[in-house]
Structures are given as C-alpha cells and as structure tokens.
Short mmCIF file of all heavy atoms in Angstrom, two decimals:
data_model
loop_
_atom_site.label_atom_id
_atom_site.label_comp_id
_atom_site.label_asym_id
_atom_site.label_seq_id
_atom_site.Cartn_x
_atom_site.Cartn_y
_atom_site.Cartn_z
N GLN P 14 -21.27 12.69 -9.17
CA GLN P 14 -20.48 13.88 -8.89
C GLN P 14 -19.05 13.53 -8.52
O GLN P 14 -18.11 14.25 -8.88
CB GLN P 14 -21.13 14.69 -7.77
CG GLN P 14 -22.38 15.45 -8.19
CD GLN P 14 -22.96 16.25 -7.05
OE1 GLN P 14 -23.21 15.72 -5.98
NE2 GLN P 14 -23.18 17.55 -7.27
N TRP P 15 -18.85 12.41 -7.81
CA TRP P 15 -17.48 12.07 -7.42
C TRP P 15 -16.66 11.62 -8.61
O TRP P 15 -15.46 11.95 -8.71
CB TRP P 15 -17.46 11.04 -6.28
CG TRP P 15 -18.00 9.67 -6.59
CD1 TRP P 15 -19.27 9.24 -6.39
CD2 TRP P 15 -17.27 8.56 -7.12
NE1 TRP P 15 -19.39 7.92 -6.77
CE2 TRP P 15 -18.18 7.48 -7.21
CE3 TRP P 15 -15.95 8.36 -7.51
CZ2 TRP P 15 -17.81 6.22 -7.69
CZ3 TRP P 15 -15.56 7.10 -8.00
CH2 TRP P 15 -16.50 6.05 -8.08
N ALA P 16 -17.26 10.88 -9.52
CA ALA P 16 -16.53 10.48 -10.72
C ALA P 16 -16.20 11.70 -11.58
O ALA P 16 -15.13 11.79 -12.18
CB ALA P 16 -17.33 9.46 -11.52
N GLN P 17 -17.14 12.66 -11.61
CA GLN P 17 -16.89 13.90 -12.36
C GLN P 17 -15.71 14.65 -11.76
O GLN P 17 -14.86 15.17 -12.49
CB GLN P 17 -18.15 14.77 -12.33
CG GLN P 17 -18.03 16.07 -13.10
CD GLN P 17 -17.32 17.17 -12.34
OE1 GLN P 17 -17.48 17.29 -11.13
NE2 GLN P 17 -16.53 17.97 -13.03
N ALA P 18 -15.63 14.70 -10.43
CA ALA P 18 -14.56 15.45 -9.78
C ALA P 18 -13.19 14.87 -10.10
O ALA P 18 -12.19 15.60 -10.13
CB ALA P 18 -14.79 15.46 -8.26
N LEU P 19 -13.12 13.57 -10.36
CA LEU P 19 -11.84 12.93 -10.62
C LEU P 19 -11.30 13.24 -12.01
O LEU P 19 -10.08 13.30 -12.21
CB LEU P 19 -11.97 11.41 -10.46
CG LEU P 19 -12.33 10.91 -9.05
CD1 LEU P 19 -12.47 9.39 -9.05
CD2 LEU P 19 -11.28 11.34 -8.03
N GLY P 20 -12.18 13.44 -12.98
CA GLY P 20 -11.74 13.66 -14.35
C GLY P 20 -10.77 14.83 -14.51
O GLY P 20 -9.66 14.67 -15.04
N PRO P 21 -11.13 16.03 -14.07
CA PRO P 21 -10.23 17.18 -14.22
C PRO P 21 -8.91 17.02 -13.47
O PRO P 21 -7.89 17.58 -13.88
CB PRO P 21 -11.05 18.34 -13.64
CG PRO P 21 -12.48 17.91 -13.79
CD PRO P 21 -12.45 16.43 -13.57
N LEU P 22 -8.89 16.27 -12.37
CA LEU P 22 -7.68 16.16 -11.58
C LEU P 22 -6.53 15.54 -12.37
O LEU P 22 -5.36 15.89 -12.19
CB LEU P 22 -7.94 15.33 -10.32
CG LEU P 22 -8.83 15.99 -9.25
CD1 LEU P 22 -9.12 15.00 -8.12
CD2 LEU P 22 -8.19 17.25 -8.70
N GLU P 23 -6.86 14.62 -13.28
CA GLU P 23 -5.82 13.97 -14.09
C GLU P 23 -5.72 14.54 -15.51
O GLU P 23 -4.84 14.14 -16.26
CB GLU P 23 -6.06 12.46 -14.17
CG GLU P 23 -5.79 11.74 -12.87
CD GLU P 23 -5.86 10.23 -13.01
OE1 GLU P 23 -6.79 9.72 -13.66
OE2 GLU P 23 -4.98 9.55 -12.45
N SER P 24 -6.60 15.46 -15.85
CA SER P 24 -6.55 16.04 -17.19
C SER P 24 -5.34 16.96 -17.33
O SER P 24 -5.12 17.85 -16.51
CB SER P 24 -7.83 16.85 -17.46
OG SER P 24 -7.68 17.67 -18.60
N PRO P 25 -4.55 16.80 -18.40
CA PRO P 25 -3.35 17.63 -18.56
C PRO P 25 -3.65 19.10 -18.79
O PRO P 25 -2.78 19.94 -18.58
CB PRO P 25 -2.66 17.01 -19.78
CG PRO P 25 -3.74 16.30 -20.52
CD PRO P 25 -4.68 15.80 -19.48
N VAL P 26 -4.89 19.42 -19.21
CA VAL P 26 -5.23 20.83 -19.44
C VAL P 26 -6.10 21.41 -18.34
O VAL P 26 -6.51 22.57 -18.41
CB VAL P 26 -5.93 21.02 -20.81
CG1 VAL P 26 -4.97 20.72 -21.94
CG2 VAL P 26 -7.19 20.16 -20.91
N GLU P 27 -6.38 20.62 -17.30
CA GLU P 27 -7.16 21.14 -16.17
C GLU P 27 -6.26 21.18 -14.93
O GLU P 27 -5.46 22.11 -14.78
CB GLU P 27 -8.43 20.31 -16.00
CG GLU P 27 -9.35 20.49 -17.21
CD GLU P 27 -10.62 19.70 -17.13
OE1 GLU P 27 -11.52 20.11 -16.38
OE2 GLU P 27 -10.73 18.66 -17.82
N HIS P 28 -6.31 20.21 -14.05
CA HIS P 28 -5.42 20.22 -12.88
C HIS P 28 -4.02 19.70 -13.23
O HIS P 28 -3.02 20.17 -12.68
CB HIS P 28 -6.01 19.38 -11.75
CG HIS P 28 -7.23 19.98 -11.14
ND1 HIS P 28 -7.27 20.43 -9.84
CD2 HIS P 28 -8.47 20.22 -11.64
CE1 HIS P 28 -8.47 20.92 -9.56
NE2 HIS P 28 -9.22 20.79 -10.65
N GLY P 29 -3.96 18.72 -14.12
CA GLY P 29 -2.69 18.24 -14.62
C GLY P 29 -1.86 17.40 -13.66
O GLY P 29 -0.69 17.14 -13.93
N GLY P 30 -2.44 16.97 -12.53
CA GLY P 30 -1.69 16.20 -11.54
C GLY P 30 -1.88 14.71 -11.70
O GLY P 30 -2.42 14.22 -12.70
N THR P 31 -1.44 13.97 -10.69
CA THR P 31 -1.49 12.50 -10.75
C THR P 31 -1.96 11.92 -9.43
O THR P 31 -1.98 12.60 -8.40
CB THR P 31 -0.10 11.91 -11.06
OG1 THR P 31 0.79 12.24 -9.98
CG2 THR P 31 0.45 12.43 -12.37
N ARG P 32 -2.29 10.66 -9.45
CA ARG P 32 -2.84 9.98 -8.28
C ARG P 32 -1.86 9.93 -7.11
O ARG P 32 -2.25 10.16 -5.97
CB ARG P 32 -3.29 8.57 -8.66
CG ARG P 32 -4.42 8.58 -9.64
CD ARG P 32 -4.93 7.21 -10.01
NE ARG P 32 -5.80 7.33 -11.18
CZ ARG P 32 -6.50 6.36 -11.72
NH1 ARG P 32 -6.46 5.14 -11.18
NH2 ARG P 32 -7.25 6.57 -12.78
N THR P 33 -0.61 9.59 -7.40
CA THR P 33 0.33 9.53 -6.28
C THR P 33 0.57 10.92 -5.70
O THR P 33 0.73 11.08 -4.49
CB THR P 33 1.68 8.90 -6.69
OG1 THR P 33 2.30 9.69 -7.71
CG2 THR P 33 1.49 7.47 -7.18
N GLN P 34 0.61 11.93 -6.57
CA GLN P 34 0.78 13.30 -6.07
C GLN P 34 -0.33 13.65 -5.10
O GLN P 34 -0.09 14.19 -4.02
CB GLN P 34 0.77 14.29 -7.24
CG GLN P 34 0.83 15.74 -6.81
CD GLN P 34 0.56 16.71 -7.96
OE1 GLN P 34 0.54 16.32 -9.12
NE2 GLN P 34 0.34 17.97 -7.63
N TYR P 35 -1.58 13.34 -5.47
CA TYR P 35 -2.72 13.69 -4.62
C TYR P 35 -2.72 12.87 -3.33
O TYR P 35 -3.08 13.38 -2.26
CB TYR P 35 -4.02 13.48 -5.39
CG TYR P 35 -4.11 14.33 -6.63
CD1 TYR P 35 -4.65 13.83 -7.81
CD2 TYR P 35 -3.63 15.64 -6.65
CE1 TYR P 35 -4.72 14.60 -8.96
CE2 TYR P 35 -3.70 16.41 -7.79
CZ TYR P 35 -4.24 15.89 -8.95
OH TYR P 35 -4.30 16.66 -10.08
N ALA P 36 -2.31 11.62 -3.42
CA ALA P 36 -2.22 10.79 -2.20
C ALA P 36 -1.20 11.39 -1.23
O ALA P 36 -1.44 11.41 -0.01
CB ALA P 36 -1.83 9.36 -2.57
N HIS P 37 -0.09 11.89 -1.75
CA HIS P 37 0.91 12.53 -0.89
C HIS P 37 0.38 13.83 -0.28
O HIS P 37 0.68 14.14 0.89
CB HIS P 37 2.19 12.80 -1.68
CG HIS P 37 3.04 11.59 -1.91
ND1 HIS P 37 3.59 10.86 -0.89
CD2 HIS P 37 3.42 10.98 -3.08
CE1 HIS P 37 4.28 9.84 -1.40
NE2 HIS P 37 4.20 9.89 -2.72
N VAL P 38 -0.41 14.58 -1.03
CA VAL P 38 -1.02 15.80 -0.48
C VAL P 38 -1.93 15.45 0.69
O VAL P 38 -1.90 16.10 1.75
CB VAL P 38 -1.80 16.56 -1.56
CG1 VAL P 38 -2.65 17.68 -0.95
CG2 VAL P 38 -0.85 17.16 -2.61
N ILE P 39 -2.73 14.41 0.51
CA ILE P 39 -3.62 13.98 1.60
C ILE P 39 -2.81 13.55 2.81
O ILE P 39 -3.10 13.93 3.96
CB ILE P 39 -4.52 12.82 1.12
CG1 ILE P 39 -5.49 13.30 0.03
CG2 ILE P 39 -5.30 12.24 2.29
CD1 ILE P 39 -6.48 14.35 0.46
N ALA P 40 -1.78 12.76 2.59
CA ALA P 40 -0.98 12.26 3.71
C ALA P 40 -0.28 13.39 4.45
O ALA P 40 -0.14 13.34 5.68
CB ALA P 40 0.04 11.25 3.19
N THR P 41 0.15 14.41 3.73
CA THR P 41 0.91 15.50 4.35
C THR P 41 0.01 16.54 5.01
O THR P 41 0.33 17.05 6.10
CB THR P 41 1.77 16.20 3.28
OG1 THR P 41 2.65 15.23 2.68
CG2 THR P 41 2.60 17.32 3.90
N HIS P 42 -1.14 16.83 4.40
CA HIS P 42 -1.94 17.97 4.85
C HIS P 42 -3.32 17.60 5.43
O HIS P 42 -3.92 18.41 6.12
CB HIS P 42 -2.14 18.94 3.69
CG HIS P 42 -0.87 19.47 3.12
ND1 HIS P 42 -0.09 20.41 3.75
CD2 HIS P 42 -0.20 19.15 1.97
CE1 HIS P 42 0.98 20.69 3.02
NE2 HIS P 42 0.94 19.93 1.93
N TYR P 43 -3.80 16.39 5.16
CA TYR P 43 -5.16 16.05 5.58
C TYR P 43 -5.24 14.69 6.27
O TYR P 43 -6.31 14.09 6.34
CB TYR P 43 -6.10 16.05 4.37
CG TYR P 43 -6.24 17.39 3.70
CD1 TYR P 43 -5.60 17.66 2.49
CD2 TYR P 43 -7.02 18.40 4.26
CE1 TYR P 43 -5.73 18.89 1.86
CE2 TYR P 43 -7.17 19.64 3.64
CZ TYR P 43 -6.52 19.87 2.45
OH TYR P 43 -6.66 21.10 1.83
N ARG P 44 -4.15 14.19 6.77
CA ARG P 44 -4.11 12.82 7.28
C ARG P 44 -5.18 12.57 8.36
O ARG P 44 -5.92 11.58 8.28
CB ARG P 44 -2.73 12.50 7.85
CG ARG P 44 -2.63 11.08 8.45
CD ARG P 44 -1.24 10.79 8.98
NE ARG P 44 -0.27 10.69 7.92
CZ ARG P 44 -0.02 9.57 7.24
NH1 ARG P 44 -0.69 8.45 7.55
NH2 ARG P 44 0.89 9.55 6.29
N VAL P 45 -5.25 13.43 9.36
CA VAL P 45 -6.18 13.19 10.47
C VAL P 45 -7.62 13.18 9.97
O VAL P 45 -8.40 12.25 10.27
CB VAL P 45 -6.01 14.26 11.57
CG1 VAL P 45 -7.10 14.12 12.63
CG2 VAL P 45 -4.63 14.13 12.21
N GLU P 46 -8.00 14.19 9.18
CA GLU P 46 -9.38 14.26 8.68
C GLU P 46 -9.70 13.08 7.78
O GLU P 46 -10.80 12.50 7.84
CB GLU P 46 -9.59 15.56 7.91
CG GLU P 46 -9.56 16.80 8.78
CD GLU P 46 -9.49 18.06 7.94
OE1 GLU P 46 -8.36 18.50 7.64
OE2 GLU P 46 -10.55 18.59 7.59
N TYR P 47 -8.75 12.73 6.92
CA TYR P 47 -8.97 11.60 6.01
C TYR P 47 -9.15 10.30 6.78
O TYR P 47 -10.08 9.54 6.52
CB TYR P 47 -7.79 11.49 5.05
CG TYR P 47 -7.92 10.34 4.06
CD1 TYR P 47 -8.47 10.54 2.80
CD2 TYR P 47 -7.52 9.04 4.40
CE1 TYR P 47 -8.60 9.49 1.90
CE2 TYR P 47 -7.65 7.99 3.51
CZ TYR P 47 -8.19 8.22 2.27
OH TYR P 47 -8.34 7.18 1.38
N GLU P 48 -8.27 10.04 7.74
CA GLU P 48 -8.31 8.75 8.44
C GLU P 48 -9.52 8.64 9.35
O GLU P 48 -10.03 7.53 9.58
CB GLU P 48 -7.01 8.55 9.21
CG GLU P 48 -5.82 8.35 8.28
CD GLU P 48 -4.54 7.96 9.00
OE1 GLU P 48 -4.44 8.23 10.22
OE2 GLU P 48 -3.64 7.38 8.35
N GLN P 49 -10.01 9.76 9.86
CA GLN P 49 -11.24 9.72 10.65
C GLN P 49 -12.43 9.31 9.79
O GLN P 49 -13.39 8.70 10.27
CB GLN P 49 -11.50 11.08 11.28
CG GLN P 49 -10.57 11.43 12.43
CD GLN P 49 -10.82 12.81 12.99
OE1 GLN P 49 -11.51 13.63 12.38
NE2 GLN P 49 -10.27 13.08 14.17
N LEU P 50 -12.35 9.60 8.53
CA LEU P 50 -13.46 9.34 7.62
C LEU P 50 -13.33 8.01 6.89
O LEU P 50 -14.29 7.25 6.77
CB LEU P 50 -13.54 10.50 6.61
CG LEU P 50 -14.73 10.58 5.66
CD1 LEU P 50 -16.04 10.67 6.43
CD2 LEU P 50 -14.56 11.80 4.76
N PHE P 51 -12.12 7.71 6.41
CA PHE P 51 -11.93 6.56 5.52
C PHE P 51 -11.04 5.46 6.10
O PHE P 51 -10.89 4.40 5.49
CB PHE P 51 -11.31 7.03 4.20
CG PHE P 51 -12.17 7.96 3.41
CD1 PHE P 51 -11.84 9.30 3.31
CD2 PHE P 51 -13.33 7.52 2.78
CE1 PHE P 51 -12.63 10.18 2.58
CE2 PHE P 51 -14.13 8.38 2.04
CZ PHE P 51 -13.78 9.71 1.95
N GLY P 52 -10.44 5.69 7.26
CA GLY P 52 -9.53 4.70 7.82
C GLY P 52 -8.08 5.03 7.47
O GLY P 52 -7.77 6.02 6.82
N GLU P 53 -7.20 4.16 7.88
CA GLU P 53 -5.76 4.43 7.79
C GLU P 53 -5.29 4.57 6.34
O GLU P 53 -5.65 3.78 5.46
CB GLU P 53 -4.99 3.30 8.47
CG GLU P 53 -3.50 3.53 8.56
CD GLU P 53 -2.78 2.43 9.31
OE1 GLU P 53 -3.47 1.46 9.74
OE2 GLU P 53 -1.55 2.51 9.48
N LEU P 54 -4.46 5.57 6.13
CA LEU P 54 -3.84 5.75 4.81
C LEU P 54 -2.83 4.65 4.55
O LEU P 54 -2.20 4.12 5.49
CB LEU P 54 -3.12 7.10 4.75
CG LEU P 54 -3.95 8.33 4.42
CD1 LEU P 54 -3.20 9.60 4.81
CD2 LEU P 54 -4.31 8.35 2.94
N PRO P 55 -2.61 4.28 3.29
CA PRO P 55 -1.58 3.27 2.99
C PRO P 55 -0.18 3.86 3.16
O PRO P 55 0.00 5.08 3.21
CB PRO P 55 -1.86 2.94 1.52
CG PRO P 55 -2.48 4.18 0.96
CD PRO P 55 -3.32 4.73 2.09
N ASP P 56 0.78 2.99 3.23
CA ASP P 56 2.18 3.41 3.28
C ASP P 56 2.58 3.92 1.89
O ASP P 56 2.55 3.16 0.92
CB ASP P 56 3.05 2.22 3.69
CG ASP P 56 4.52 2.58 3.89
OD1 ASP P 56 4.92 3.69 3.46
OD2 ASP P 56 5.26 1.78 4.46
N LEU P 57 2.95 5.17 1.82
CA LEU P 57 3.25 5.79 0.52
C LEU P 57 4.74 5.98 0.28
O LEU P 57 5.15 6.67 -0.66
CB LEU P 57 2.54 7.14 0.42
CG LEU P 57 1.01 7.12 0.48
CD1 LEU P 57 0.46 8.54 0.53
CD2 LEU P 57 0.42 6.37 -0.71
N ARG P 58 5.59 5.36 1.10
CA ARG P 58 7.02 5.58 0.97
C ARG P 58 7.57 5.10 -0.38
O ARG P 58 8.54 5.65 -0.89
CB ARG P 58 7.76 4.89 2.12
CG ARG P 58 7.64 5.63 3.44
CD ARG P 58 8.31 4.87 4.57
NE ARG P 58 7.63 3.61 4.87
CZ ARG P 58 7.98 2.79 5.84
NH1 ARG P 58 9.04 3.07 6.62
NH2 ARG P 58 7.31 1.67 6.05
N GLU P 59 6.95 4.08 -0.96
CA GLU P 59 7.41 3.59 -2.26
C GLU P 59 6.71 4.27 -3.42
O GLU P 59 7.08 4.06 -4.58
CB GLU P 59 7.18 2.07 -2.34
CG GLU P 59 7.90 1.27 -1.27
CD GLU P 59 9.40 1.45 -1.33
OE1 GLU P 59 9.94 1.48 -2.46
OE2 GLU P 59 10.03 1.55 -0.26
N ALA P 60 5.73 5.10 -3.14
CA ALA P 60 4.98 5.78 -4.20
C ALA P 60 5.76 6.99 -4.69
O ALA P 60 6.16 7.84 -3.89
CB ALA P 60 3.61 6.20 -3.70
#
C-alpha cells in the first residue's frame, strides 16, 4: 500500500508534484508529528 501511495504523487496526471516539494511540505506543516515517528528531518536548505 505504501508503494502504491507513492506512484500517484509523482505522476504528472495525478498529483503532479515532486519529492523535494513533499519534503518541504512535511518540514513546514508536519515537522513535529513526522519527527516523533521517524526521527529528525534532514536539512532541506539546499533542496
């Protein structure tokens, strides 16, 4: 199911976004929840 969820996110005719875009969304809007679950987010300043 997790691999399935990733496919549409990068599909140009479905979500149409990109990996760095989604990483920035997580860092901006979900940082606390994400880091409690998966650990510290990487430094995205160069992304």
Side-chain angles (χ1 to χ4, degrees):
Q14 286 181 307
W15 65 267
Q17 182 279 323
L19 296 178
L22 291 174
E23 289 188 316
S24 166
V26 293
E27 294 180 75
H28 291 246
T31 63
R32 296 182 193 186
T33 61
Q34 175 191 348
Y35 300 140
H37 283 299
V38 170
I39 294 296
T41 302
H42 301 285
Y43 297 104
R44 178 179 292 274
V45 172
E46 291 169 270
Y47 179 94
E48 292 188 339
Q49 287 177 346
L50 188 59
F51 297 108
E53 186 177 2
L54 277 163
D56 185 346
L57 298 174
R58 284 176 294 183
E59 300 300 320

